[in-house]
């Protein structure tokens, strides 16, 4: 096992596979060895929930295909981890980190998994996550699930991992896989990517199918890649986008998608770009260290010819408060998902899951289930509640029309720039895309990133900006996995 996987890229890995320096089977073994040494022993990072028992067989088959027929594309033979709310039709269950669903096996692959398999990716396993995408209860730490336990931040175990795609971010940061797939409803890709010093792409809602993904919110859920570089993230995004008749949200992407997103990876993307900084509201919780990291990132962008509009404040930012949208949509979406599980599935509703947890309080209810109870007892699941209908309309007006759209138009911007994942609430409610890139580390070793955000289907511009910034900063460093702060 001579190939060095630490900080390897898809491009370098494909070169090694092409030259015969390594094989996909060998790469899979290397990753499994690293998971054994550091995720389940040693530092016990606990980011990987389960390993695909068929991974080595799949890798060997892809090696044979490479030798006899050639390469399908850049993901041929590349090991990938999936968040544990993404269906796979194999020997791995899909549980969203819940003990209640530990024995739940899907009848078919999620659409995103079908696309990854078609591209030649090896599904290495599933990553731990904050249980039910952090919609289980109040006060549960990010990265915890009753089935998988607590995921640790490899840069500083006293700090959070971010959620809910915690394991997806941490596993990539620790080089336990090449890339991973996460999901986001409101910060669940951006937040863990920020705290794991990785690149996370939260796509426009509808760019990537959610079919076969255990849901949280019909209007806000999306699926996206977490990687160590913008290039790798763009490669994966290219593989997983596409229209899916089983997900109505993907209808518009037939006309607005861009196919191969790697075409936007070019130096000079910042030159002449108009980037707005919404200083009001979004900077109030920053520490002096974090602000210094952000300002240094802005200086890099200015140095590459970006036109920085500071401040380009979002006038509705302070009006965007609690919304009942996710609470109401969760029950109907989850019940629909559970109803479609194969015959023999024991739990068919949110009510069934709550009952299971009550029957196993020691194992399943370490932090309680207040949010599940609220969704079950205060919503009908029919989406007829007046607060829901009003909040949904308000979210679109304040976040999309009068929020991001209005700010972009007022200042003629190509993108907005947020510190860390602080813009996740407004972009998620608008259904708009974001890309987070590592920008530095605090004195405690905690990663800190910057987020480029834009209007619907503006991924090409965001990739241009993120790539050029990344290539002119190159601040990411892997965790040592040897000692903690």
């Amino acid at each position: 096992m001579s190939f060095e996987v630490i900080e390897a890229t898809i491009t370098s890995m494909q070169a090694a596979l092409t030259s015969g320096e390594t094989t996909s089977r060998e790469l899979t073994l290397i990753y499994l060895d690293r998971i054994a040494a550091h995720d389940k022993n040693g530092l016990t990072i606990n980011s990987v929930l389960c390993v695909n028992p068929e991974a080595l067989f799949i890798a060997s088959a892809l090696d044979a295909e490479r030798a006899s027929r050639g390469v399908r594309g850049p993901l041929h033979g590349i090991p990938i981890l999936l968040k544990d709310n993404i269906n796979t039709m194999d020997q791995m269950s899909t549980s969203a980190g819940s003990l209640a669903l530990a024995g739940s096996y899907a009848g078919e692959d999620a659409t995103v998994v079908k696309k990854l398999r078609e591209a030649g990716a090896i599904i290495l396993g599933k990553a731990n996550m904050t249980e039910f995408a952090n919609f289980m209860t109040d006060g549960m730490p990010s990265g915890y699930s009753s089935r998988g336990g607590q995921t640790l931040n490899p840069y500083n175990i006293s700090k959070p991992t971010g959620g809910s795609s915690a394991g997806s971010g941490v596993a990539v940061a620790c080089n336990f896989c090449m890339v991973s797939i996460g999901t986001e409803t409101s910060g669940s890709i951006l937040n863990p990517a920020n705290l794991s010093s990785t690149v996370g792409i939260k796509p426009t809602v509808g760019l990537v199918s959610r079919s076969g993904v255990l849901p949280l919110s019909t209007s806000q859920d999306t699926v996206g890649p977490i990687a160590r570089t913008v290039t790798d993230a763009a490669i994966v995004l290219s593989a997983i986008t596409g229209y899916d008749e089983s997900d109505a949200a993907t209808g518009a992407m037939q006309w607005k998608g861009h196919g191969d997103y790697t075409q936007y990876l070019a130096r000079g993307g910042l030159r002449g770009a108009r980037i707005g900084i919404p200083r009001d509201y979004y900077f109030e919780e920053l520490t002096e260290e974090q602000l210094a990291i952000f300002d240094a990132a802005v200086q890099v962008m200015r140095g590459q010819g970006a036109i920085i509009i500071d401040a380009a404040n979002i006038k509705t930012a302070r009006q965007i408060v609690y919304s009942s949208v996710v609470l109401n949509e969760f029950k109907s979406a989850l019940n629909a998902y559970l109803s479609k599980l194969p015959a023999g599935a024991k739990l068919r509703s949110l009510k069934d899951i709550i009952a299971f947890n009550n029957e196993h309080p020691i194992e399943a209810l370490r932090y309680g289930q207040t949010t599940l109870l609220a969704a079950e007892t205060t919503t009908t699941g029919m989406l007829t509640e007046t607060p829901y209908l009003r909040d949904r309309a308000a979210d679109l007006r304040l976040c999309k029309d009068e929020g991001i759209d209005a700010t972009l138009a007022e200042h003629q911007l190509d993108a907005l720039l947020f510190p860390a994942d602080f813009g996740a609430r407004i972009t998620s409610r608008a259904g708009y895309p974001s890309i987070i890139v590592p920008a530095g580390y605090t004195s405690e070793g905690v990663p800190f990133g910057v987020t480029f955000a834009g209007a619907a289907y503006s991924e090409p511009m965001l990739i241009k900006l993120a790539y050029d910034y990344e290539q002119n900063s190159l601040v990411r460093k892997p965790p040592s996995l040897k000692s903690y702060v």
Side-chain angles (χ1 to χ4, degrees), residues 282-329:
Y282 294 101
F283 285 71
E284 293 178 350
E285 297 182 9
L286 287 187
T287 66
E288 290 185 6
E289 277 191 316
Q290 292 170 334
L291 182 58
I293 293 171
F294 179 87
D295 288 342
V298 172
Q299 286 303 108
V300 171
M301 296 176 205
R302 279 200 176 102
Q304 296 305 309
I307 301 168
I308 305 297
I309 291 80
D310 187 1
N313 293 325
I314 300 172
K315 295 177 181 178
T316 58
R318 295 182 182 274
Q319 301 174 51
I320 302 167
V321 291
Y322 172 77
S323 170
S324 65
V325 167
V326 176
L327 181 69
N328 279 274
E329 291 183 347

Side-chain angles (χ1 to χ4, degrees), residues 448-473:
F448 188 83
V450 293
T451 298
F452 298 90
Y457 303 101
S458 63
E459 282 85 356
M461 174 57 71
L462 301 184
I463 288 171
K464 286 181 182 179
L465 302 178
Y467 178 77
D468 202 22
Y469 167 69
E470 174 197 56
Q471 294 301 303
N472 285 283
S473 57

Side-chain angles (χ1 to χ4, degrees), residues 167-191:
S168 298
V170 168
V172 170
C174 293
N175 290 273
F176 295 153
C177 59
M178 173 52 72
V179 291
S180 68
I181 303 295
T183 67
E184 173 155 346
T185 304
S186 183
S188 290
I189 288 174
L190 300 178
N191 184 223

Side-chain angles (χ1 to χ4, degrees), residues 105-130:
Y105 293 87
E108 65 175 330
D109 284 337
T111 299
V112 68
V113 177
K114 292 177 182 177
K115 288 180 172 293
L116 288 169
R117 293 195 199 274
E118 290 169 1
I122 300 166
I123 307 303
L124 184 63
K126 294 196 175 180
N128 199 8
M129 59 180 285
T130 314

